[in-house]
């Protein structure tokens, strides 16, 4: 099997799971072009834990970890099987400090995107949590350690947002605040120029970095995808946009 891609998707609002818009259409189109993996490792912003855990459930449950949305969103079912063997392989690569977990499942950071990429839900999926105590460098290092999975048929997906500041969301705003656009552009330039250190040292972006997010939960998934990439990968930027003032949808595909 050819080397699988690694991917970061800015997932934005949970409503993207059911709405027909520019972003969801891009996810669908991308899914039609991607090679079919043996499994998908999803690093979702919405499994934010103390320490790192990997879910090894054979049949991961649906987690509706969002509140106040239309009933149609809570009726979405994505019945992908789990991947216990790959979960064990992930722990082998990351070390025994990683906990094996069967209590979690697929949260909306995963299923909202995957139902567009692989709508048949016929590819096994397992999640890796985001350690709330880890530094950007530690998240990136874990991504590097996971790189061998790409040669074993696993697509590595990071799902979060480059800019994610819910306290400053403007519900009627189409684009982004100037600071959000500035930070989004800074990160995109660093990724495209393969300056990974610039992504890790994101505070170099100045004032915009202070406003971009309050915690690493939504930013860290990018670091896993970036760490799992290599210098020979082609980089594609898609869904380049900020919305609602303080959310970025900008996404990256790294493929051999």
């Amino acid at each position: 099997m050819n080397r699988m891609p690694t991917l970061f998707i800015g997932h934005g609002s949970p409503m993207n799971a059911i709405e027909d818009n520019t972003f969801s259409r891009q996810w669908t189109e991308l899914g039609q072009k991607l090679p079919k993996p043996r499994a998908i490792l999803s690093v979702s912003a919405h499994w934010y834990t103390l320490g790192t855990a990997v879910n090894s459930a054979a049949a991961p449950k649906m987690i509706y970890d969002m509140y106040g949305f239309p009933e149609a969103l809570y009726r979405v079912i994505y019945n992908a099987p789990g991947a216990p063997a790959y979960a064990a392989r992930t722990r082998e690569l990351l070390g025994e400090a990683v906990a094996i977990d069967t209590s979690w499942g697929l949260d909306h950071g995963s299923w909202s995107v995957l139902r567009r990429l692989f709508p048949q839900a016929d590819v096994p999926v397992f999640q890796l949590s985001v350690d709330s105590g880890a530094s950007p460098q530690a998240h990136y290092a874990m991504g590097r350690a996971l790189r061998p999975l790409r040669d074993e048929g696993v697509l590595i997906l990071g799902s979060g947002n480059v800019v994610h500041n819910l306290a400053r969301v403007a519900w009627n705003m189409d684009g982004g605040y100037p600071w959000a656009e500035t930070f989004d552009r800074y990160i995109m330039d660093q990724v495209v120029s393969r300056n990974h250190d610039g992504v890790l040292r994101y505070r170099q972006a100045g004032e915009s970095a202070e406003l971009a997010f309050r915690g690493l939960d939504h930013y860290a998934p990018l670091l896993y995808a970036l760490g799992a990439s290599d210098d020979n990968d082609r980089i594609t930027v898609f869904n380049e946009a900020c919305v609602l003032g303080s959310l970025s949808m900008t996404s990256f595909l790294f493929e051999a």
Side-chain angles (χ1 to χ4, degrees), residues 182-222:
T182 295
F183 187 78
D184 196 48
R185 169 59 63 173
Y186 167 81
I187 295 300
M188 185 177 68
D189 288 347
Q190 305 313 303
V191 171
V192 171
S193 65
R194 303 181 193 275
N195 180 16
H196 294 190
D197 190 62
V199 181
L200 295 173
R201 301 180 186 276
Y202 60 87
R203 288 190 175 88
Q204 293 175 351
E207 182 181 359
S208 66
E210 299 302 317
L211 296 169
F213 45 80
R214 294 183 171 182
L216 290 176
D217 50 345
H218 279 71
Y219 188 70
L222 167 62

Side-chain angles (χ1 to χ4, degrees), residues 8-251:
F8 171 76
I9 288 187
H11 64 244
S13 167
M15 291 300 292
N16 291 319
I18 58 175
E19 289 181 346
D20 178 23
N21 57 42
T22 300
F23 308 118
S24 62
R25 286 194 293 272
Q26 280 286 310
W27 299 345
T28 298
E29 291 174 13
L30 175 61
Q32 294 168 353
K33 299 173 184 176
L34 289 172
K36 188 173 182 178
R38 292 174 179 162
I40 299 165
L41 169 56
S42 178
V43 184
S44 166
H46 293 278
W47 194 17
Y48 200 46
T49 58
L50 185 59
T52 301
V54 62
N55 186 269
S56 64
K61 63 185 178 182
M62 291 284 291
I63 298 177
Y64 300 95
D65 54 329
M66 64 280 174
Y67 308 96
F69 289 92
E71 182 62 27
L73 192 58
Y74 303 96
R75 296 198 190 108
V76 173
I77 300 294
Y78 192 76
N79 284 328
Y86 279 115
R89 172 65 172 144
T90 295
R91 188 178 189 233
E92 177 184 330
L93 291 170
L94 295 181
E96 293 186 359
V98 174
I100 294 292
D101 175 272
T102 57
S103 65
W104 200 247
L106 299 182
D107 57 54
H108 82 264
S110 292
W111 57 256
S112 67
V113 173
L114 290 174
R115 73 183 307 258
R116 305 288 191 174
L117 295 178
F118 299 99
Q120 300 303 314
D122 56 350
V123 178
V125 182
F126 64 110
Q127 284 199 199
L128 183 72
S129 75
V130 176
D131 179 2
S132 62
S135 67
Q137 290 76 14
H139 292 300
Y140 178 81
M142 283 190 275
R144 300 288 281 186
L146 293 170
R147 186 188 291 176
L149 291 176
R150 295 180 61 191
D151 293 315
E152 299 170 21
V154 179
L155 185 150
I156 297 173
L157 166 67
S159 179
N161 296 98
V162 170
V163 178
H164 185 268
N165 189 336
L166 295 184
R168 292 177 179 263
V169 162
W171 295 105
N172 296 320
M173 190 172 181
D174 289 332
Y177 295 116
W179 56 262
E181 301 281 359
T182 295
F183 187 78
D184 196 48
R185 169 59 63 173
Y186 167 81
I187 295 300
M188 185 177 68
D189 288 347
Q190 305 313 303
V191 171
V192 171
S193 65
R194 303 181 193 275
N195 180 16
H196 294 190
D197 190 62
V199 181
L200 295 173
R201 301 180 186 276
Y202 60 87
R203 288 190 175 88
Q204 293 175 351
E207 182 181 359
S208 66
E210 299 302 317
L211 296 169
F213 45 80
R214 294 183 171 182
L216 290 176
D217 50 345
H218 279 71
Y219 188 70
L222 167 62
L223 305 180
Y224 287 83
L226 192 66
S229 69
D230 66 39
D231 292 341
N232 296 320
D233 283 335
R234 297 188 304 276
I235 303 172
T236 302
V237 183
F238 61 101
N239 279 347
E240 179 191 342
C242 289
V243 296
L244 304 180
S246 60
L247 294 178
S248 165
M249 299 298 295
T250 300
S251 305

